[in-house]
Amino acid sequence: MNKMLGRVTGALLALTLSTGLATAASKVTIAIGGGACLCYLPTVLAKQLGEYEKAGLEVELVDLKGGSDALRAVLGGSADVVSGYFDHCVNLAAKKQEMQSFVVYDRYPGLVLVVAPSHNKEINSVKDLAGKKVGVSAPGSSTDFFLKYMLKKNGVDPTATAVIGVGLGATAVAAMEQGQIDAAVMLDPSVTVLQGNHADLKILSDTRTQHDTLEVFSGEYPGGALYSTSAWIAGHEKETQALTNAIVGTLAWIHAHTPEEIMAKMPEELVGKDKALYLAALKNTIPMYSQTGKMDPKGADAVLAVFSTGSPEVAKANVDVSKTFTNKFVEQVKGTTGTGTK
């Protein structure tokens, strides 16, 4: 009897250990190109809602100054996945570096070209930025790409401005208000914060809405997405699917809840002291968030067209843009835990 009990106990112990190993959460590090930016909110909110955990992941979010810094973290091996703008995948494809987006959470880029309050009288158009100091989140980031595109589109040599990295959030707002720069490419909530402080704030270009995005790019233009090297994705399909499940679930949750409910879930340090301004910025941003997580192939084509216009290197590279994204993982999402009612 004792021998039988011992065998049963041993079998149960082995089963418990094996089950524990089987259900152990996979660890993934995501580098974010500026966690305070509302364009990246779904990545942060997914952690706040426990969506990564529900998908079987232990996710560490690393908050960096800009998208280029987040990209370097992945290429350097200190992070697994970038939460940043899809356009980096296209730009790197021209350099024969294979990066691939697998879930898109921003339908529009949300980039806004803003004049510093102290320079309202002298800067009235993009052309007036020649010879000026213009802030971007970090050199080589999507904010920098957008600036160069807008300059070239308006007949200004992209090298004619002094590009200065000012980060996102409070550092960018301070640089604008203290006159350290003449203009900047910014994102919400920083734009709404400035608008709240300066009623006469001058905006030269705005891509927070479908109308403005179509006007600037002549088509929809995907912004924030999760992406990584093609090799990492191929070797971590389980983790890639879990990340996709978490983001799609979070997008469903966003569109099923009020801005107030969304704000209540976000970390206090990201919301800041002025909750009214953050809420106003969030209301401006919610239409930007995808409802499906899918990449629109036409949007990817638009990104390639923009980069081909602004970069001779990309134009000559014959980039196959279809290899810079995949919808496979989004299409395999069976059901989300993020649904609910308003």
Side-chain angles (χ1 to χ4, degrees), residues 192-238:
T192 301
V193 168
L194 275 177
Q195 287 177 314
N197 296 342
H198 307 276
D200 61 343
L201 189 72
K202 187 177 292 182
I203 291 177
L204 301 180
S205 184
D206 193 333
T207 64
R208 289 177 290 181
T209 67
Q210 183 181 42
H211 175 270
D212 291 325
T213 300
L214 293 176
E215 187 172 293
V216 171
F217 299 112
S218 302
E220 289 201 3
Y221 195 95
L226 292 189
Y227 67 89
S228 188
T229 63
S230 299
W232 189 90
I233 293 171
H236 298 81
E237 291 209 352
K238 177 185 173 185

mmCIF file of all heavy atoms in Angstrom, residues 192-238:
data_model
loop_
_atom_site.group_PDB
_atom_site.id
_atom_site.type_symbol
_atom_site.label_atom_id
_atom_site.label_comp_id
_atom_site.label_asym_id
_atom_site.label_seq_id
_atom_site.Cartn_x
_atom_site.Cartn_y
_atom_site.Cartn_z
ATOM 1 N N THR A 192 -1.539 68.524 -27.327
ATOM 2 C CA THR A 192 -2.709 69.036 -26.619
ATOM 3 C C THR A 192 -2.295 69.840 -25.393
ATOM 4 O O THR A 192 -2.941 70.831 -25.041
ATOM 5 C CB THR A 192 -3.639 67.882 -26.215
ATOM 6 O OG1 THR A 192 -4.037 67.177 -27.398
ATOM 7 C CG2 THR A 192 -4.900 68.400 -25.529
ATOM 8 N N VAL A 193 -1.205 69.433 -24.734
ATOM 9 C CA VAL A 193 -0.689 70.202 -23.593
ATOM 10 C C VAL A 193 -0.295 71.602 -24.058
ATOM 11 O O VAL A 193 -0.649 72.614 -23.428
ATOM 12 C CB VAL A 193 0.527 69.487 -22.957
ATOM 13 C CG1 VAL A 193 1.235 70.415 -21.978
ATOM 14 C CG2 VAL A 193 0.073 68.226 -22.236
ATOM 15 N N LEU A 194 0.422 71.682 -25.172
ATOM 16 C CA LEU A 194 0.821 72.992 -25.698
ATOM 17 C C LEU A 194 -0.389 73.822 -26.108
ATOM 18 O O LEU A 194 -0.430 75.041 -25.874
ATOM 19 C CB LEU A 194 1.760 72.817 -26.893
ATOM 20 C CG LEU A 194 3.250 72.639 -26.594
ATOM 21 C CD1 LEU A 194 4.019 72.412 -27.884
ATOM 22 C CD2 LEU A 194 3.815 73.847 -25.858
ATOM 23 N N GLN A 195 -1.364 73.171 -26.730
ATOM 24 C CA GLN A 195 -2.578 73.890 -27.131
ATOM 25 C C GLN A 195 -3.321 74.432 -25.919
ATOM 26 O O GLN A 195 -3.916 75.512 -25.975
ATOM 27 C CB GLN A 195 -3.494 72.966 -27.950
ATOM 28 C CG GLN A 195 -2.973 72.688 -29.360
ATOM 29 C CD GLN A 195 -3.851 71.714 -30.125
ATOM 30 O OE1 GLN A 195 -4.247 70.675 -29.604
ATOM 31 N NE2 GLN A 195 -4.148 72.041 -31.369
ATOM 32 N N GLY A 196 -3.271 73.687 -24.820
ATOM 33 C CA GLY A 196 -3.921 74.140 -23.593
ATOM 34 C C GLY A 196 -3.212 75.339 -22.986
ATOM 35 O O GLY A 196 -3.857 76.215 -22.386
ATOM 36 N N ASN A 197 -1.908 75.399 -23.164
ATOM 37 C CA ASN A 197 -1.117 76.506 -22.609
ATOM 38 C C ASN A 197 -1.036 77.710 -23.539
ATOM 39 O O ASN A 197 -0.790 78.830 -23.078
ATOM 40 C CB ASN A 197 0.308 76.034 -22.299
ATOM 41 C CG ASN A 197 0.344 74.973 -21.210
ATOM 42 O OD1 ASN A 197 -0.608 74.816 -20.451
ATOM 43 N ND2 ASN A 197 1.449 74.246 -21.122
ATOM 44 N N HIS A 198 -1.212 77.464 -24.838
ATOM 45 C CA HIS A 198 -1.059 78.532 -25.835
ATOM 46 C C HIS A 198 -2.201 78.448 -26.847
ATOM 47 O O HIS A 198 -2.152 77.650 -27.786
ATOM 48 C CB HIS A 198 0.297 78.410 -26.544
ATOM 49 C CG HIS A 198 1.457 78.347 -25.595
ATOM 50 N ND1 HIS A 198 2.048 79.470 -25.066
ATOM 51 C CD2 HIS A 198 2.119 77.278 -25.066
ATOM 52 C CE1 HIS A 198 3.030 79.108 -24.251
ATOM 53 N NE2 HIS A 198 3.097 77.787 -24.240
ATOM 54 N N ALA A 199 -3.201 79.280 -26.651
ATOM 55 C CA ALA A 199 -4.400 79.236 -27.504
ATOM 56 C C ALA A 199 -4.082 79.533 -28.967
ATOM 57 O O ALA A 199 -4.807 79.106 -29.871
ATOM 58 C CB ALA A 199 -5.434 80.232 -26.988
ATOM 59 N N ASP A 200 -3.005 80.275 -29.220
ATOM 60 C CA ASP A 200 -2.655 80.656 -30.590
ATOM 61 C C ASP A 200 -1.594 79.734 -31.190
ATOM 62 O O ASP A 200 -0.927 80.099 -32.165
ATOM 63 C CB ASP A 200 -2.161 82.100 -30.630
ATOM 64 C CG ASP A 200 -0.911 82.319 -29.777
ATOM 65 O OD1 ASP A 200 -0.610 81.456 -28.917
ATOM 66 O OD2 ASP A 200 -0.238 83.353 -29.961
ATOM 67 N N LEU A 201 -1.435 78.539 -30.636
ATOM 68 C CA LEU A 201 -0.426 77.604 -31.129
ATOM 69 C C LEU A 201 -0.617 77.356 -32.625
ATOM 70 O O LEU A 201 -1.727 77.062 -33.079
ATOM 71 C CB LEU A 201 -0.518 76.276 -30.370
ATOM 72 C CG LEU A 201 0.623 75.288 -30.630
ATOM 73 C CD1 LEU A 201 1.907 75.768 -29.957
ATOM 74 C CD2 LEU A 201 0.249 73.900 -30.114
ATOM 75 N N LYS A 202 0.465 77.456 -33.371
ATOM 76 C CA LYS A 202 0.394 77.308 -34.827
ATOM 77 C C LYS A 202 0.827 75.900 -35.238
ATOM 78 O O LYS A 202 1.908 75.443 -34.886
ATOM 79 C CB LYS A 202 1.276 78.350 -35.513
ATOM 80 C CG LYS A 202 1.135 78.380 -37.033
ATOM 81 C CD LYS A 202 1.984 79.492 -37.626
ATOM 82 C CE LYS A 202 1.439 80.857 -37.248
ATOM 83 N NZ LYS A 202 2.230 81.960 -37.871
ATOM 84 N N ILE A 203 -0.047 75.229 -35.980
ATOM 85 C CA ILE A 203 0.233 73.877 -36.466
ATOM 86 C C ILE A 203 0.400 73.927 -37.982
ATOM 87 O O ILE A 203 -0.481 74.414 -38.705
ATOM 88 C CB ILE A 203 -0.891 72.900 -36.073
ATOM 89 C CG1 ILE A 203 -0.864 72.686 -34.552
ATOM 90 C CG2 ILE A 203 -0.744 71.566 -36.801
ATOM 91 C CD1 ILE A 203 -1.974 71.798 -34.037
ATOM 92 N N LEU A 204 1.536 73.435 -38.466
ATOM 93 C CA LEU A 204 1.820 73.453 -39.903
ATOM 94 C C LEU A 204 1.341 72.186 -40.603
ATOM 95 O O LEU A 204 1.048 72.208 -41.795
ATOM 96 C CB LEU A 204 3.335 73.623 -40.135
ATOM 97 C CG LEU A 204 3.971 74.885 -39.550
ATOM 98 C CD1 LEU A 204 5.470 74.893 -39.857
ATOM 99 C CD2 LEU A 204 3.301 76.141 -40.103
ATOM 100 N N SER A 205 1.310 71.076 -39.887
ATOM 101 C CA SER A 205 0.841 69.817 -40.461
ATOM 102 C C SER A 205 0.363 68.904 -39.338
ATOM 103 O O SER A 205 0.981 68.844 -38.279
ATOM 104 C CB SER A 205 1.964 69.136 -41.248
ATOM 105 O OG SER A 205 1.505 67.966 -41.874
ATOM 106 N N ASP A 206 -0.739 68.194 -39.586
ATOM 107 C CA ASP A 206 -1.357 67.389 -38.532
ATOM 108 C C ASP A 206 -1.843 66.061 -39.121
ATOM 109 O O ASP A 206 -2.611 66.044 -40.071
ATOM 110 C CB ASP A 206 -2.546 68.165 -37.954
ATOM 111 C CG ASP A 206 -3.078 67.598 -36.652
ATOM 112 O OD1 ASP A 206 -2.919 66.379 -36.430
ATOM 113 O OD2 ASP A 206 -3.653 68.358 -35.866
ATOM 114 N N THR A 207 -1.385 64.939 -38.558
ATOM 115 C CA THR A 207 -1.825 63.633 -39.074
ATOM 116 C C THR A 207 -2.508 62.807 -37.987
ATOM 117 O O THR A 207 -2.377 61.600 -37.922
ATOM 118 C CB THR A 207 -0.643 62.832 -39.650
ATOM 119 O OG1 THR A 207 0.295 62.520 -38.598
ATOM 120 C CG2 THR A 207 0.073 63.594 -40.736
ATOM 121 N N ARG A 208 -3.271 63.496 -37.124
ATOM 122 C CA ARG A 208 -3.992 62.786 -36.067
ATOM 123 C C ARG A 208 -5.341 62.256 -36.521
ATOM 124 O O ARG A 208 -5.986 61.504 -35.806
ATOM 125 C CB ARG A 208 -4.183 63.708 -34.852
ATOM 126 C CG ARG A 208 -2.904 63.981 -34.083
ATOM 127 C CD ARG A 208 -3.129 64.950 -32.937
ATOM 128 N NE ARG A 208 -3.409 66.302 -33.403
ATOM 129 C CZ ARG A 208 -3.621 67.338 -32.600
ATOM 130 N NH1 ARG A 208 -3.583 67.171 -31.284
ATOM 131 N NH2 ARG A 208 -3.852 68.544 -33.097
ATOM 132 N N THR A 209 -5.785 62.679 -37.689
ATOM 133 C CA THR A 209 -7.083 62.241 -38.197
ATOM 134 C C THR A 209 -6.939 61.663 -39.604
ATOM 135 O O THR A 209 -5.931 61.884 -40.281
ATOM 136 C CB THR A 209 -8.076 63.416 -38.265
ATOM 137 O OG1 THR A 209 -7.620 64.339 -39.267
ATOM 138 C CG2 THR A 209 -8.189 64.124 -36.924
ATOM 139 N N GLN A 210 -7.972 60.942 -40.023
ATOM 140 C CA GLN A 210 -7.947 60.369 -41.372
ATOM 141 C C GLN A 210 -7.878 61.464 -42.424
ATOM 142 O O GLN A 210 -7.105 61.355 -43.385
ATOM 143 C CB GLN A 210 -9.186 59.507 -41.598
ATOM 144 C CG GLN A 210 -9.184 58.818 -42.963
ATOM 145 C CD GLN A 210 -10.430 57.982 -43.196
ATOM 146 O OE1 GLN A 210 -11.536 58.400 -42.866
ATOM 147 N NE2 GLN A 210 -10.257 56.796 -43.743
ATOM 148 N N HIS A 211 -8.644 62.534 -42.237
ATOM 149 C CA HIS A 211 -8.672 63.624 -43.220
ATOM 150 C C HIS A 211 -7.291 64.219 -43.417
ATOM 151 O O HIS A 211 -6.812 64.387 -44.542
ATOM 152 C CB HIS A 211 -9.654 64.707 -42.761
ATOM 153 C CG HIS A 211 -9.658 65.931 -43.648
ATOM 154 N ND1 HIS A 211 -8.819 67.014 -43.419
ATOM 155 C CD2 HIS A 211 -10.360 66.224 -44.776
ATOM 156 C CE1 HIS A 211 -9.020 67.921 -44.358
ATOM 157 N NE2 HIS A 211 -9.952 67.468 -45.194
ATOM 158 N N ASP A 212 -6.630 64.547 -42.304
ATOM 159 C CA ASP A 212 -5.309 65.159 -42.398
ATOM 160 C C ASP A 212 -4.269 64.185 -42.940
ATOM 161 O O ASP A 212 -3.365 64.578 -43.683
ATOM 162 C CB ASP A 212 -4.867 65.670 -41.028
ATOM 163 C CG ASP A 212 -5.690 66.868 -40.568
ATOM 164 O OD1 ASP A 212 -6.079 67.672 -41.428
ATOM 165 O OD2 ASP A 212 -5.951 66.988 -39.362
ATOM 166 N N THR A 213 -4.392 62.917 -42.561
ATOM 167 C CA THR A 213 -3.442 61.912 -43.044
ATOM 168 C C THR A 213 -3.549 61.764 -44.559
ATOM 169 O O THR A 213 -2.533 61.702 -45.265
ATOM 170 C CB THR A 213 -3.693 60.554 -42.365
ATOM 171 O OG1 THR A 213 -3.539 60.713 -40.951
ATOM 172 C CG2 THR A 213 -2.725 59.496 -42.851
ATOM 173 N N LEU A 214 -4.774 61.719 -45.063
ATOM 174 C CA LEU A 214 -4.978 61.610 -46.508
ATOM 175 C C LEU A 214 -4.442 62.843 -47.227
ATOM 176 O O LEU A 214 -3.888 62.752 -48.323
ATOM 177 C CB LEU A 214 -6.463 61.424 -46.817
ATOM 178 C CG LEU A 214 -7.097 60.100 -46.362
ATOM 179 C CD1 LEU A 214 -8.601 60.099 -46.653
ATOM 180 C CD2 LEU A 214 -6.439 58.911 -47.052
ATOM 181 N N GLU A 215 -4.587 64.004 -46.592
ATOM 182 C CA GLU A 215 -4.126 65.247 -47.204
ATOM 183 C C GLU A 215 -2.598 65.278 -47.315
ATOM 184 O O GLU A 215 -2.041 65.715 -48.320
ATOM 185 C CB GLU A 215 -4.615 66.441 -46.375
ATOM 186 C CG GLU A 215 -4.337 67.786 -47.023
ATOM 187 C CD GLU A 215 -5.003 68.921 -46.255
ATOM 188 O OE1 GLU A 215 -6.244 68.979 -46.242
ATOM 189 O OE2 GLU A 215 -4.260 69.725 -45.664
ATOM 190 N N VAL A 216 -1.930 64.765 -46.277
ATOM 191 C CA VAL A 216 -0.465 64.788 -46.258
ATOM 192 C C VAL A 216 0.135 63.686 -47.119
ATOM 193 O O VAL A 216 1.065 63.915 -47.900
ATOM 194 C CB VAL A 216 0.060 64.658 -44.810
ATOM 195 C CG1 VAL A 216 1.579 64.470 -44.804
ATOM 196 C CG2 VAL A 216 -0.309 65.894 -44.003
ATOM 197 N N PHE A 217 -0.403 62.462 -46.979
ATOM 198 C CA PHE A 217 0.222 61.303 -47.618
ATOM 199 C C PHE A 217 -0.530 60.766 -48.831
ATOM 200 O O PHE A 217 -0.072 59.819 -49.475
ATOM 201 C CB PHE A 217 0.361 60.163 -46.605
ATOM 202 C CG PHE A 217 1.213 60.498 -45.421
ATOM 203 C CD1 PHE A 217 0.657 60.625 -44.164
ATOM 204 C CD2 PHE A 217 2.581 60.697 -45.555
ATOM 205 C CE1 PHE A 217 1.436 60.927 -43.058
ATOM 206 C CE2 PHE A 217 3.367 61.005 -44.454
ATOM 207 C CZ PHE A 217 2.795 61.127 -43.202
ATOM 208 N N SER A 218 -1.711 61.321 -49.117
ATOM 209 C CA SER A 218 -2.557 60.840 -50.229
ATOM 210 C C SER A 218 -3.008 59.395 -50.020
ATOM 211 O O SER A 218 -3.279 58.668 -50.963
ATOM 212 C CB SER A 218 -1.807 60.964 -51.569
ATOM 213 O OG SER A 218 -1.431 62.300 -51.801
ATOM 214 N N GLY A 219 -3.081 58.973 -48.780
ATOM 215 C CA GLY A 219 -3.544 57.622 -48.447
ATOM 216 C C GLY A 219 -3.364 57.384 -46.957
ATOM 217 O O GLY A 219 -2.737 58.189 -46.262
ATOM 218 N N GLU A 220 -3.953 56.297 -46.446
ATOM 219 C CA GLU A 220 -3.754 55.976 -45.030
ATOM 220 C C GLU A 220 -2.298 55.581 -44.809
ATOM 221 O O GLU A 220 -1.624 55.078 -45.710
ATOM 222 C CB GLU A 220 -4.709 54.866 -44.589
ATOM 223 C CG GLU A 220 -6.154 55.341 -44.503
ATOM 224 C CD GLU A 220 -7.013 54.466 -43.608
ATOM 225 O OE1 GLU A 220 -6.484 53.520 -43.002
ATOM 226 O OE2 GLU A 220 -8.215 54.744 -43.513
ATOM 227 N N TYR A 221 -1.823 55.847 -43.604
ATOM 228 C CA TYR A 221 -0.401 55.691 -43.328
ATOM 229 C C TYR A 221 -0.243 55.089 -41.941
ATOM 230 O O TYR A 221 -0.413 55.778 -40.933
ATOM 231 C CB TYR A 221 0.264 57.060 -43.392
ATOM 232 C CG TYR A 221 1.770 57.053 -43.484
ATOM 233 C CD1 TYR A 221 2.404 57.134 -44.716
ATOM 234 C CD2 TYR A 221 2.559 56.994 -42.342
ATOM 235 C CE1 TYR A 221 3.787 57.161 -44.814
ATOM 236 C CE2 TYR A 221 3.942 57.019 -42.424
ATOM 237 C CZ TYR A 221 4.552 57.105 -43.663
ATOM 238 O OH TYR A 221 5.919 57.135 -43.764
ATOM 239 N N PRO A 222 0.069 53.781 -41.835
ATOM 240 C CA PRO A 222 0.155 53.129 -40.528
ATOM 241 C C PRO A 222 1.252 53.732 -39.651
ATOM 242 O O PRO A 222 2.319 54.098 -40.145
ATOM 243 C CB PRO A 222 0.475 51.670 -40.880
ATOM 244 C CG PRO A 222 1.106 51.736 -42.238
ATOM 245 C CD PRO A 222 0.426 52.870 -42.936
ATOM 246 N N GLY A 223 0.952 53.825 -38.367
ATOM 247 C CA GLY A 223 1.923 54.368 -37.426
ATOM 248 C C GLY A 223 2.512 53.278 -36.555
ATOM 249 O O GLY A 223 3.293 52.455 -37.011
ATOM 250 N N GLY A 224 2.113 53.263 -35.271
ATOM 251 C CA GLY A 224 2.695 52.340 -34.311
ATOM 252 C C GLY A 224 2.349 50.883 -34.562
ATOM 253 O O GLY A 224 1.225 50.540 -34.935
ATOM 254 N N ALA A 225 3.338 50.018 -34.335
ATOM 255 C CA ALA A 225 3.164 48.580 -34.534
ATOM 256 C C ALA A 225 4.183 47.847 -33.669
ATOM 257 O O ALA A 225 5.155 48.438 -33.192
ATOM 258 C CB ALA A 225 3.370 48.219 -36.002
ATOM 259 N N LEU A 226 3.959 46.562 -33.466
ATOM 260 C CA LEU A 226 4.990 45.718 -32.879
ATOM 261 C C LEU A 226 5.733 45.059 -34.029
ATOM 262 O O LEU A 226 5.119 44.500 -34.942
ATOM 263 C CB LEU A 226 4.389 44.632 -31.980
ATOM 264 C CG LEU A 226 3.718 45.073 -30.677
ATOM 265 C CD1 LEU A 226 3.395 43.846 -29.822
ATOM 266 C CD2 LEU A 226 4.561 46.057 -29.889
ATOM 267 N N TYR A 227 7.056 45.135 -33.989
ATOM 268 C CA TYR A 227 7.848 44.491 -35.026
ATOM 269 C C TYR A 227 9.159 43.987 -34.449
ATOM 270 O O TYR A 227 9.606 44.399 -33.374
ATOM 271 C CB TYR A 227 8.077 45.428 -36.213
ATOM 272 C CG TYR A 227 8.939 46.645 -35.971
ATOM 273 C CD1 TYR A 227 10.323 46.594 -36.153
ATOM 274 C CD2 TYR A 227 8.379 47.875 -35.612
ATOM 275 C CE1 TYR A 227 11.116 47.715 -35.968
ATOM 276 C CE2 TYR A 227 9.162 48.999 -35.426
ATOM 277 C CZ TYR A 227 10.533 48.914 -35.602
ATOM 278 O OH TYR A 227 11.317 50.025 -35.414
ATOM 279 N N SER A 228 9.771 43.082 -35.173
ATOM 280 C CA SER A 228 11.057 42.530 -34.760
ATOM 281 C C SER A 228 11.795 42.038 -35.995
ATOM 282 O O SER A 228 11.321 42.200 -37.125
ATOM 283 C CB SER A 228 10.868 41.389 -33.754
ATOM 284 O OG SER A 228 12.125 40.998 -33.218
ATOM 285 N N THR A 229 12.950 41.418 -35.769
ATOM 286 C CA THR A 229 13.678 40.848 -36.896
ATOM 287 C C THR A 229 12.899 39.640 -37.417
ATOM 288 O O THR A 229 12.230 38.935 -36.643
ATOM 289 C CB THR A 229 15.079 40.397 -36.478
ATOM 290 O OG1 THR A 229 14.979 39.349 -35.509
ATOM 291 C CG2 THR A 229 15.883 41.563 -35.899
ATOM 292 N N SER A 230 12.994 39.389 -38.701
ATOM 293 C CA SER A 230 12.310 38.225 -39.279
ATOM 294 C C SER A 230 12.801 36.938 -38.621
ATOM 295 O O SER A 230 12.029 35.994 -38.416
ATOM 296 C CB SER A 230 12.552 38.182 -40.790
ATOM 297 O OG SER A 230 12.033 39.340 -41.410
ATOM 298 N N ALA A 231 14.077 36.911 -38.250
ATOM 299 C CA ALA A 231 14.655 35.725 -37.619
ATOM 300 C C ALA A 231 14.045 35.482 -36.242
ATOM 301 O O ALA A 231 13.737 34.336 -35.880
ATOM 302 C CB ALA A 231 16.169 35.882 -37.498
ATOM 303 N N TRP A 232 13.856 36.554 -35.460
ATOM 304 C CA TRP A 232 13.257 36.389 -34.123
ATOM 305 C C TRP A 232 11.827 35.883 -34.238
ATOM 306 O O TRP A 232 11.415 34.980 -33.508
ATOM 307 C CB TRP A 232 13.283 37.714 -33.349
ATOM 308 C CG TRP A 232 12.873 37.543 -31.906
ATOM 309 C CD1 TRP A 232 13.693 37.269 -30.856
ATOM 310 C CD2 TRP A 232 11.539 37.613 -31.368
ATOM 311 N NE1 TRP A 232 12.959 37.159 -29.682
ATOM 312 C CE2 TRP A 232 11.636 37.359 -29.979
ATOM 313 C CE3 TRP A 232 10.276 37.850 -31.924
ATOM 314 C CZ2 TRP A 232 10.530 37.349 -29.132
ATOM 315 C CZ3 TRP A 232 9.159 37.833 -31.091
ATOM 316 C CH2 TRP A 232 9.290 37.590 -29.713
ATOM 317 N N ILE A 233 11.077 36.463 -35.161
ATOM 318 C CA ILE A 233 9.677 36.046 -35.345
ATOM 319 C C ILE A 233 9.606 34.576 -35.752
ATOM 320 O O ILE A 233 8.813 33.802 -35.209
ATOM 321 C CB ILE A 233 8.981 36.943 -36.393
ATOM 322 C CG1 ILE A 233 8.853 38.370 -35.853
ATOM 323 C CG2 ILE A 233 7.610 36.389 -36.761
ATOM 324 C CD1 ILE A 233 8.392 39.388 -36.878
ATOM 325 N N ALA A 234 10.458 34.176 -36.695
ATOM 326 C CA ALA A 234 10.460 32.784 -37.166
ATOM 327 C C ALA A 234 10.813 31.818 -36.036
ATOM 328 O O ALA A 234 10.305 30.700 -35.978
ATOM 329 C CB ALA A 234 11.434 32.626 -38.327
ATOM 330 N N GLY A 235 11.682 32.260 -35.126
ATOM 331 C CA GLY A 235 12.105 31.395 -34.037
ATOM 332 C C GLY A 235 11.252 31.501 -32.789
ATOM 333 O O GLY A 235 11.456 30.751 -31.821
ATOM 334 N N HIS A 236 10.286 32.426 -32.788
ATOM 335 C CA HIS A 236 9.437 32.655 -31.608
ATOM 336 C C HIS A 236 7.984 32.872 -32.032
ATOM 337 O O HIS A 236 7.343 33.841 -31.634
ATOM 338 C CB HIS A 236 9.933 33.870 -30.812
ATOM 339 C CG HIS A 236 11.314 33.722 -30.277
ATOM 340 N ND1 HIS A 236 12.442 33.948 -31.045
ATOM 341 C CD2 HIS A 236 11.766 33.352 -29.040
ATOM 342 C CE1 HIS A 236 13.516 33.741 -30.305
ATOM 343 N NE2 HIS A 236 13.146 33.370 -29.089
ATOM 344 N N GLU A 237 7.469 31.951 -32.825
ATOM 345 C CA GLU A 237 6.099 32.112 -33.313
ATOM 346 C C GLU A 237 5.076 32.088 -32.180
ATOM 347 O O GLU A 237 4.072 32.802 -32.223
ATOM 348 C CB GLU A 237 5.776 31.038 -34.360
ATOM 349 C CG GLU A 237 6.536 31.224 -35.667
ATOM 350 C CD GLU A 237 5.780 30.691 -36.869
ATOM 351 O OE1 GLU A 237 4.742 30.037 -36.685
ATOM 352 O OE2 GLU A 237 6.236 30.943 -38.005
ATOM 353 N N LYS A 238 5.327 31.261 -31.171
ATOM 354 C CA LYS A 238 4.410 31.190 -30.032
ATOM 355 C C LYS A 238 4.333 32.541 -29.316
ATOM 356 O O LYS A 238 3.255 33.044 -28.998
ATOM 357 C CB LYS A 238 4.875 30.113 -29.053
ATOM 358 C CG LYS A 238 4.026 30.006 -27.793
ATOM 359 C CD LYS A 238 4.631 29.005 -26.813
ATOM 360 C CE LYS A 238 3.897 29.020 -25.473
ATOM 361 N NZ LYS A 238 4.551 28.128 -24.483
#
